[in-house]
Amino acid sequence: MMDELIAGFGAALTFYNVSFIFMGVAIGYLVGALPGLGKGTATAVAIPITFYIEPLAAIAFLIGISKGSTAGSAVSAILMNTPGEPSSAPTAMAGYPLARAGKAQKALKMGLYASVIGDFVSTCVLILSAQSLADYALGIGPIELVAILAFSLTFIAALSGKSLVKGLIAGLFGILCSTVGTEIETSTERFTFGSFDLYEGLPLIPVAIGMLALSEMMVQIGDRRRLEAETDLLRGSGKPEDAYVTWEDWKKSARAIIRGTGVGIFIGILPGLGASTGSFLSYGMARRAAKDPDSFERDGAIEGVAATESADNAVVPASFVPLFALGIPGSVIAAILIGAFVIQGVTPGPLMFLEQAELMQGIYASMLAASLILLGIGYFGQNVFARIIKLSPSLVLSSVVFLCCLGSYLQGGGMFGLYVMAVFAVIGFFARKYDFGFVTFLIGFVIGDGFELALRQSIGLLKGTPEAMLDHPVAIVFWVLTIVGVLAILRRKKVSTESAN
């Protein structure tokens, strides 16, 4: 075992292999910072290149792209309120107000540090316990997923802002929008209105870009004087403490990073949940733990950025746990990597640890190296991307709108993506004007589809016998947490209402 470990690390840390890791992380970071392209697209496009690369360098190159793009998506989220990926939407909520307050550099740096910490710790967990965690993940079935996602949905109430009713309306509307398309079990068409484009449902990227970015651009374009003032702040407040992460910021964000990393690892090893669930769940926990939750979207919160980015980046390595140990892809990236493994003549699964032991140790070492390289590329890359805030407001706004359209076009199936983006931009505009929680809408939209499928499967498995739940202790624990969470939220709302009166 030790000989294989030494040989694997020796192969991974050669100049040839490190060069491909560096290129992968750099390409991924650039792709992540451009809204709409996404790590899935970048990784899939890069697979043909791996035909001509050695197996270890090929896998390391693709993993570098996925890690770099996950971290890079925070750049556009913080600077332009345009999430590079759906999982960066909470980063935009907490980070963009900080940028508008002259703290863009601080938010970018904390996002990078939290990303690297979450990614590195998750990679270590993958290395130390891939087999045991994968066995545990296999025990999580539809009944457990319903309980976990129900617990996630409680954050709709927690994130509802001043009006619980408005927050719930927005969340339920998000769940309703998630039902658009062909129902997965019976192939029944729902809210398609005869449009073939809607058969697969509403694409997430155009919806998120419309609700968050384009609606914000509509508001800013309508207020030129405020825009000029905020543009000056985006260039920096002039205070040295707003350009770097202070000790106080670390004390504020430490718990959020630890919690977010744990959430990301947990979500990552469960196939099908995805990074968006992890980032929203971590953001909701951080917001709930804050003394003034409403300040997250109003003034921005450094701990909100830390919570989201640590969870988002922890999901990627953790999603490789079922892939490496069992041959089951835990995410889109993991599914794409299966193709790369097959190209190199390797079959993902438990036999890899016996037949390709040196390769596996080399992949582990490459993943750790990618985390460290990400820190360097991200630190210097932020300085390059941050220069866009020094441009004139009209140029920045027009560029953001163009990137919004480009991302929606690429990820939404052409012109259909643009139409979806435009519709939800209008919805987002009025949601902002009338104080409806677009945050809760996105949570409902992201979680709704998976919750419905797991619920239908659970009903079939239980067969009308509630006592069968006793055989699922994990589900019972999460149902108890859900009930406790709902009661705590209602109590907090009641106390805040009484104090306001």
Side-chain angles (χ1 to χ4, degrees), residues 132-470:
S132 58
L133 284 176
D135 291 340
Y136 178 75
L138 281 183
I140 304 294
I143 295 173
E144 287 78 13
L145 283 179
V146 168
I148 293 170
L149 292 174
F151 177 67
S152 302
L153 285 171
T154 60
F155 290 99
I156 287 180
L159 296 170
S160 58
K162 297 178 181 178
S163 173
L164 178 61
V165 174
K166 288 184 177 180
L168 289 176
I169 289 173
L172 291 173
F173 180 61
I175 294 174
L176 178 66
C177 290
S178 72
T179 64
V180 173
T182 305
E183 198 277 312
I184 194 167
E185 288 189 336
T186 63
S187 297
T188 303
E189 297 174 20
R190 299 185 299 193
F191 305 112
T192 58
F193 306 105
S195 173
F196 290 105
D197 292 316
L198 287 172
Y199 275 26
E200 295 183 4
L202 293 168
L204 182 53
I205 282 284
V207 170
I209 287 178
M211 286 288 290
L212 288 173
L214 198 57
S215 62
E216 175 67 22
M217 293 303 102
M218 292 166 67
V219 172
Q220 291 196 16
I221 290 171
D223 194 347
R224 299 288 297 179
R225 292 183 180 179
R226 182 176 63 84
L227 176 60
E228 293 290 342
E230 288 179 357
T231 301
D232 291 337
L233 285 173
L234 280 170
R235 292 168 182 163
S237 64
K239 299 177 182 177
E241 63 271 20
D242 289 343
Y244 60 88
V245 179
T246 64
W247 178 243
E248 288 298 318
D249 295 325
W250 278 114
K251 287 199 293 186
K252 253 196 234 183
S253 304
R255 288 185 180 179
I257 292 174
I258 295 171
R259 186 171 50 234
T261 301
V263 169
I265 293 171
F266 177 72
I267 295 297
I269 65 174
L270 300 178
L273 290 185
S276 297
T277 303
S279 60
F280 272 106
L281 186 58
S282 179
Y283 178 80
M285 288 180 172
R287 196 179 185 278
R288 232 169 97 177
K291 294 180 180 178
D292 183 12
D294 294 336
S295 66
F296 272 53
E297 290 85 41
R298 185 185 65 240
D299 306 318
I302 197 74
E303 63 268 36
V305 174
T308 302
E309 287 304 303
S310 58
D312 187 9
N313 287 264
V315 168
V316 174
S319 68
F320 298 154
V321 169
L323 173 67
F324 289 166
L326 302 166
I328 300 172
S331 65
V332 174
I333 291 296
I336 293 172
L337 279 179
I338 288 180
F341 275 110
V342 172
I343 288 172
Q344 300 298 335
V346 179
T347 302
L351 291 180
M352 281 202 308
F353 294 93
L354 297 175
E355 299 173 354
Q356 303 285 343
E358 185 176 324
L359 174 63
M360 284 304 304
Q361 301 303 328
I363 291 173
Y364 287 156
S366 299
M367 292 179 72
L368 292 174
S371 299
L372 299 177
I373 290 171
L374 173 62
L375 180 62
I377 289 178
Y379 190 86
F380 291 105
Q382 285 178 353
N383 295 328
V384 175
F385 286 109
R387 294 187 182 185
I388 64 172
I389 60 181
K390 297 181 180 180
L391 302 174
S392 66
S394 57
L395 184 58
V396 170
L397 282 178
S398 58
S399 300
V400 172
V401 172
F402 171 75
L403 289 173
C404 289
C405 294
L406 178 63
S408 298
Y409 184 87
L410 292 175
Q411 293 292 318
M415 290 302 298
F416 174 70
L418 294 179
Y419 299 146
V420 172
M421 178 193 68
V423 169
F424 280 92
V426 174
I427 294 173
F429 176 81
F430 286 105
R432 292 174 187 272
K433 289 293 185 182
Y434 294 100
D435 198 28
F436 280 87
F438 59 89
V439 185
T440 60
F441 167 84
L442 287 174
I443 292 177
F445 185 72
V446 168
I447 295 176
D449 190 42
F451 180 78
E452 181 197 8
L453 177 60
L455 179 62
R456 294 173 71 113
Q457 292 173 337
S458 299
I459 293 172
L461 290 171
L462 293 174
K463 298 178 181 177
T465 55
E467 61 270 18
M469 281 289 294
L470 297 175

